[in-house]
């Protein structure tokens, strides 16, 4: 288990052991902290027939089936963009009979906030009165999008977010090449995203980004050219720009008004590109144009 989640895991395991575990758990927390792995491992513990001291045994029939991805009482609802009502109905049907292995039944719903209203409504009765020995684990990083009726029927768990020391320590066990400290602090609270960013062979990585930014500040490249180079990953670039400006703002006790405004501009830009139909490259181009006029941060 990820170090920052291990205490929560032990607490839940203890509750299970004491027969005090709620049948519907809502796990809340941002993306990239390991909620899905947490839920799967906890499901493994719930399904294990011989668990001792909060750990699955790893050798019983239930554990072996789960490791092979064949446990008949373990179910998942995964969504790409939206969880449709048919997916929920199908999942409920699987939970309705008695357990095939005479142990627990577990359903994990990932990105539960992507349930449509009818999906959520279809789930309500099961959340309220599940069949015996059934557990539902709902995961979300956007709880505000969940119906209040769903939230009220679950016990909520706010998953701990690692601090930068925990993230760095964990990263050291996963990645043996040097990483820009600025990049680590950018993803400090979502270590899995950080590792993912490092593992993917990115056309635009943080180094390329910083070089591009310096070229822009020294007029070696113009904003529209840079915006075009970065057009495939506008949302990510905007986040990086916001972060970079945040660092500039933090490092300037004499904070010039123009810099402060630019940081605000970046925050708005990150929000704007989330709306459908927005010309993202244009938004990026506008921000880069303003950054190009910054005189004070050239290094
Ligand atoms: Zn087991």
């Amino acid at each position: 288990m990820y170090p920052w989640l291990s205490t929560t895991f032990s607490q839940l395991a203890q509750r299970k052991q004491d027969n005090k575990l709620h049948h519907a758990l809502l796990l809340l927390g941002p993306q990239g902290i390991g909620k899905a792995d947490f839920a799967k491992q906890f499901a493994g513990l719930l399904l294990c027939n011989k668990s001792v001291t909060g750990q699955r045994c790893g050798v019983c029939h239930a554990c072996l089936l789960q490791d092979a991805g064949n446990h008949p009482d373990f179910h998942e609802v995964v969504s790409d963009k939206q969880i449709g009502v048919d997916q929920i109905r199908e999942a409920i049907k699987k939970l309705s009979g008695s357990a095939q292995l005479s142990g627990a039944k577990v359903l994990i719903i990932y990105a539960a906030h992507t349930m449509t209203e009818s999906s959520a409504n279809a789930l309500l009765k099961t959340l309220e009165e599940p069949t015996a020995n059934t557990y539902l684990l709902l995961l979300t990083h956007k709880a505000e999008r969940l119906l209040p009726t769903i939230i009220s029927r679950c016990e909520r768990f706010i998953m701990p977010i690692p601090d930068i020391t925990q993230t760095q320590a964990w990263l050291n066990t996963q990645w043996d090449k040097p990483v820009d400290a600025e990049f680590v602090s950018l993803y400090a609270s979502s270590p899995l995203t950080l590792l993912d960013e490092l593992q993917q062979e990115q056309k635009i990585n943080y180094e390329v980004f910083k070089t591009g930014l310096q070229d822009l500040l020294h007029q070696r490249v113009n904003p529209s050219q840079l915006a075009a180079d970065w057009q495939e990953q506008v949302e990510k670039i905007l986040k990086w720009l916001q972060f970079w400006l945040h660092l500039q703002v933090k490092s300037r006790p004499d904070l010039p008004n123009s810099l402060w405004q630019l940081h605000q501009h970046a925050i708005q830009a990150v929000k704007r590109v989330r709306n459908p139909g927005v010309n993202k490259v244009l938004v990026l181009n506008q921000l880069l144009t303003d950054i190009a006029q910054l005189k004070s941060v050239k290094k």
Side-chain angles (χ1 to χ4, degrees):
M1 180 49 56
Y2 303 111
W4 55 91
L5 296 180
S6 59
T7 307
T8 307
F9 194 90
S10 311
Q11 284 166 351
L12 281 179
Q14 187 61 48
R15 297 262 298 270
K16 190 229 165 202
Q17 211 166 330
D18 299 343
N19 286 318
K20 283 180 185 163
L21 191 67
H22 196 277
H23 63 266
L25 305 176
L26 178 59
L27 308 182
L28 308 156
Q31 284 179 296
I33 59 167
K35 294 190 298 299
D37 291 326
F38 181 97
K40 276 185 225 171
Q41 282 199 38
F42 193 63
L45 177 63
L46 293 171
L47 293 167
C48 173
N49 293 321
K50 293 175 181 165
S51 67
V52 271
T53 60
Q55 300 283 339
R56 68 199 279 276
C57 74
V59 291
C60 73
H61 188 44
C63 282
L64 294 179
L65 282 173
Q66 225 224 344
D67 286 344
N70 282 329
H71 198 297
D73 300 310
F74 175 65
H75 311 290
E76 296 168 287
V77 172
V78 186
S79 85
D80 208 7
K81 284 201 173 100
Q82 207 170 55
I83 299 173
V85 69
D86 290 344
Q87 276 176 282
I88 293 295
R89 286 200 184 118
E90 200 186 321
I92 293 172
K93 209 166 132 195
K94 287 179 189 157
L95 293 177
S96 62
S98 47
Q100 302 202 36
L101 284 194
S102 70
K105 290 174 283 179
V106 180
L107 170 67
I108 303 181
I109 302 179
Y110 303 99
H113 58 272
T114 61
M115 283 190 287
T116 61
E117 199 175 335
S118 38
S119 306
N121 284 325
L123 187 66
L124 286 180
K125 199 171 176 304
T126 307
L127 272 184
E128 212 157 26
E129 299 163 8
T131 45
N133 212 0
T134 298
Y135 296 95
L136 293 103
L137 308 177
L138 277 64
L139 278 54
T140 187
H141 56 273
K142 286 185 178 159
E144 70 281 4
R145 291 211 200 152
L146 278 171
L147 286 188
T149 43
I150 293 281
I151 297 177
S152 66
R153 281 164 178 78
C154 297
E155 184 172 356
R156 275 163 280 179
F157 278 90
I158 296 171
M159 308 301 281
I161 300 168
D163 60 29
I164 189 155
T165 318
Q166 287 173 310
T167 296
Q168 184 68 65
W170 177 76
L171 187 65
N172 292 344
T173 67
Q174 307 291 319
W175 188 257
D176 52 11
K177 293 178 205 127
V179 185
D180 186 338
E182 207 172 287
F183 195 64
V184 177
S185 59
L186 171 56
Y187 288 104
S189 57
S190 47
L192 274 65
T193 313
L194 170 61
L195 185 62
D196 194 46
E197 284 288 335
L198 293 170
Q199 283 169 339
Q200 287 177 37
E201 277 295 319
Q202 303 277 8
K203 203 172 94 188
I204 311 165
N205 59 30
Y206 200 67
E207 220 175 296
V208 171
F209 163 78
K210 288 215 294 193
T211 308
L213 210 48
Q214 287 305 318
D215 286 346
L216 179 74
L217 290 168
H218 294 94
Q219 277 116 40
R220 292 190 288 263
V221 63
N222 67 51
S224 53
Q225 208 178 325
L226 201 53
D229 286 351
W230 288 348
Q231 62 181 328
E232 279 164 40
Q233 291 185 298
V234 171
E235 285 172 54
K236 189 166 87 179
I237 295 291
L238 285 173
K239 265 189 219 167
W240 289 2
L241 284 171
Q242 184 198 329
F243 177 75
W244 180 80
L245 284 163
H246 168 74
L247 291 180
Q248 307 306 318
V249 166
K250 266 199 345 193
S251 67
R252 293 288 298 266
D254 62 320
L255 183 60
N257 201 27
S258 57
L259 189 55
W260 185 82
Q261 278 176 350
L262 200 49
H263 184 229
Q264 296 302 310
H265 181 171
I267 294 171
Q268 293 305 322
V270 168
K271 286 184 190 156
R272 267 179 69 200
V273 293
R274 286 187 201 139
N275 297 321
V278 170
N279 184 335
K280 294 179 187 180
V281 181
L282 192 66
V283 173
L284 177 60
N285 192 5
Q286 280 164 353
L287 186 61
L288 292 175
T289 306
D290 291 348
I291 291 174
Q293 283 157 10
L294 264 187
K295 298 275 184 290
S296 51
V297 293
K298 287 174 195 171
K299 282 178 192 162

